[in-house]
Amino acid sequence: MATEILMPALSPTMEEGTLAKWLVKEGDTITSGMILAEIETDKATMEFEAVDEGVMGKFIVAEGSEGVKVNSPIAVLLEEGEDASAVPAAQAAAVEEAAPAGSSDGSAPAPASVPAAPIESKAVEPDVPEGTEFKQQTVREALRDAMAEEMRNDETVYLMGEEVAEYQGAYKVSQGLLDEFGAKRVIDTPITEHGFAGIAVGASFGGLRPIVEFMTFNFAMQAIDQIINSAAKTLYMSGGQMGAPMVFRGPNGAAARVGAQHSQDYAAWYSHIPGLKVVQPYSAMDAKGLLKTAIRDPNPVIFLENEILYGQSFDVPVLDDFTIPFGKARIWREGSDVTIISFGIGMKYALEAADKLAEEGISAEVLDLRTLRPIDYGAIIASVQKTNRVVTVEEGFPVASMGNHISAYIMTHAFDYLDAPVLNCTGKDVLMPYAANLEKHALTSTAEVIDAVKQVTYR
Amino acid sequence: MAAKKSAKPNVSKDELLYHYREMLLIRRFEEKAGQLYGMGLIGGFCHLYIGQEAVVVGLEAAAEEGDKRVTSYRDHGHMLACGMDPKGIMAELTGREGGFSKGKGGSMHMFSKEKHFYGGHGIVAAQVPIGAGLAFADKYLGNDRVTFAYFGDGAANQGQVYETYNMAELWDLPVIFVIENNQYAMGTSVKRSTKSPSLWERGAAYGIPGEEVDGMDVLKVKAAGEKAIAHCRAGKGPYILEVMTYRYRGHSMSDPAKYRTRDEVQKMRDERDPIESVRQMLLTGKHASEEDLKSIDKEIKAIVNEAAEFSKESPEPALEELWTDIYAEA
Ligand SMILES: Cc1ncc(C[n+]2csc(CCOP(=O)(O)OP(=O)(O)O)c2C)c(N)n1
Ligand SMILES: [Mg+2]
């Protein structure tokens, strides 16, 4: 019986991909383990291996086709002796739908992935001069550019971490940096987080400005002692003589279906520590401007990225030297009924909720903190004075969360302006489950934000 | 399972067939897991064991009932080899109620108290001190058991490994450190992560004996395992086995594997495949005919297909499960 070969998912975040190249021909005998095709995912070009044996009957999707959905049939495998006429009509019909994207001579390779729809920035207080030109960039590209620009500017800036050089970054954030800056400044480490974090702290004492990439912040727990006890505390303990001008960066928080040990949001953890600065950008523009500021800052900076945001595109200003100061929130959307305060990927829920609430006639102001240490208390209080109601949104655990801190601050400093208790939308008070249905419930959501807003506005 | 103990000098037909079956089960299971991942039924990270089958199968053949094991995220082979039900493993991979962790752990985090399998750990090298701790408990309680603590060549550079070596030898803990040297840690070859000529020799600094083992030869692995177990059970403390092996697939499902050539992988498959070599021994020793082996293949495929079916049919966990197992009942 003919079996369909389906477009495979080749990464935790892949929903569609490009069938770059067939490596077998129709009529070829297929054995398990044989490489059938090259498929471009959101991160890389991957080889797709056969599992079942048989004869390649018919390609349903031609090479060069972009945007092929995961799980859609791409070819039909026949059993030995069977002929291609066994291919059911419905399968043959699918051929027309997936037309190849590039020219048929294969000259123009398709881009690695189709960028997600751009997100409009409605910043009320612009970070750039009027008339600045913008270009579309993913968060991933913006981070890479920020590092490259700072490395060009300052010889003492270097990058170290696992797979940052030859592999081009586990999440491809450091793509191209080894080529440009060489192995002296883009350094692959063994898997030894506590050791290389400590070496970077020492290097910063010794006059360098290290950027340490943690493959994810989950693994930074191996290095937590060097980050806290050495990097954060030395300036104070030395009476201001020496400190650790360095950046610890990498993806933080839940990715997709990677379970409890790989899905924690550390925003509140690091924000707890005097001596650290903590940044958690949402947009590509902020990622770029804030990472440049972080690299120049004379203190240890924790720079929390997000795997799911890496592939998202935003407007980024085309400027020679664009930085964003720490401690300055960004108002993404002005509103009068309620303030939604968030940062990092929490902004996704905040902005979606604000859009939906607007349809129901509730005007939400959306504040992106961008940096958690220092935090823009002024912007928070100003917005509370205007709307009198607040909902905070973050992915981390609820106990001792950023939202708890912000609520307490507002209670202390703007109690008389509040018309309702501040509500915190957070991850649930549970560890991250693997099962798809449970994972969804463990995270906060747009629906929860909308619900919280309705509670504080008594609708 | 793990029904060995027949450590006769001449390898019997039964033993060869046993190894063949066990290794084939892992291979077919992993191929199926790869396929289910491609279909979106398995999510997140999924690290396949294809190519390394002889390591766990050889060591499990040397182990006795009650011995313990703990490993990394690349754990499917270890679970199958210690006798955990393929259905429960596959259903954990698909995140279903019928999985070993009720769908809450996933590929990297699975456990079985019954089979003395202590995980499935996602943090590189965290399982090494845990393995020594299991051995500590056995010694403390007077159990005559050993623990296998498996870790990779990449994990072998983590500091906690050496802290553990020191204490394990200091306290004569019955733990076998099994370094599964598959030559790569993600995209980093061993040569790019250390200048140590060998990993097992590092034990010498702490007084721990060890040896290098050909991990593509299940019989050699088993023999080395027996020697290490004898050392531990005699109360002489830990032992290190650096098992030289190779993973055929990418590090995880999303690894484009550009750090090695296709030829390098193909050469290993063609020349060193652990299953193929046992297959040849069975055929040339006239222990089995092509027909016999075909019918074993069929049996294994049926087991794996049944596991896959179960993993699709088992329902997603009930939403209340989100809130359970955070704390044990006091
Ligand atoms: C502490 C920590 N750092 C980094 C990672 C990411 N990571 C997962 S597996 C891996 C490579 C490990 O290689 P090795 O120990 O050789 O085991 P193998 O995957 O080859 O079985 C890395 C870097 C992690 N899970 N934990
Ligand atoms: Mg390895």
Side-chain angles (χ1 to χ4, degrees), chain B residues 152-154 180-186:
Chain B
D153 46 283
E180 293 197 61
N181 186 343
N182 61 10
Q183 307 177 42
Y184 292 91
M186 217 170 236

Side-chain angles (χ1 to χ4, degrees), chain A residues 171 192 258 392 409 447:
Chain A
Y171 297 98
T192 50
V258 290
T392 67
Y409 189 89

Side-chain angles (χ1 to χ4, degrees), chain A residues 8-12 45-47 49 52 71 163 167 188 191-193 222 256-258 261-262 430 434-435 437, chain B residues 35 37-39 43-44 93 103-104 108 122-123 157-158 185-188 192 249 253-256 258 262 317 322:
Chain A
L10 295 170
S11 90
T45 302
M46 307 273 299
E47 291 173 346
E49 289 180 17
D52 297 312
N71 260 336
E163 309 288 359
Y167 198 84
D188 279 326
I191 309 169
T192 50
E193 289 84 3
Q222 296 281 323
R257 312 274 320 269
V258 290
Q261 292 185 329
H262 284 69
V430 302
Y434 166 75
N437 63 330
Chain B
Q35 193 180 36
Y37 190 96
M39 293 162 71
L93 297 187
K104 290 155 79 166
M108 301 190 285
I123 302 302
N157 290 316
Q158 281 282 34
M186 217 170 236
T188 304
R192 293 207 306 115
R249 297 294 190 95
M253 294 303 298
S254 46
D255 171 17
K258 294 277 141 72
R262 207 178 275 173
L322 186 60

Side-chain angles (χ1 to χ4, degrees), chain B residues 83-138:
Chain B
M84 287 167 64
D85 184 352
K87 294 209 283 283
I89 303 171
M90 200 68 98
E92 190 59 40
L93 297 187
T94 55
R96 305 301 174 93
E97 185 185 275
F100 270 99
S101 301
K102 305 180 212 164
K104 290 155 79 166
S107 163
M108 301 190 285
H109 316 110
M110 250 184 274
F111 307 81
S112 166
K113 199 157 187 189
E114 186 200 345
K115 299 291 177 189
H116 312 288
F117 179 74
Y118 288 86
H121 295 266
I123 302 302
V124 167
Q127 74 274 23
V128 180
I130 292 171
L134 289 164
F136 181 94
D138 275 332

Side-chain angles (χ1 to χ4, degrees), chain B residues 64-70 113 115-118 129-149 171-176 232-233 235:
Chain B
E64 281 181 18
E65 178 54 39
D67 290 341
K68 301 181 169 69
R69 62 284 289 163
V70 63
K113 199 157 187 189
K115 299 291 177 189
H116 312 288
F117 179 74
Y118 288 86
I130 292 171
L134 289 164
F136 181 94
D138 275 332
K139 185 168 182 204
Y140 187 103
L141 296 169
N143 298 335
D144 185 26
R145 297 275 65 99
V146 305
T147 297
F148 294 87
W171 298 330
D172 294 326
L173 303 181
V175 53
I176 301 168
C232 284
R233 286 211 218 281

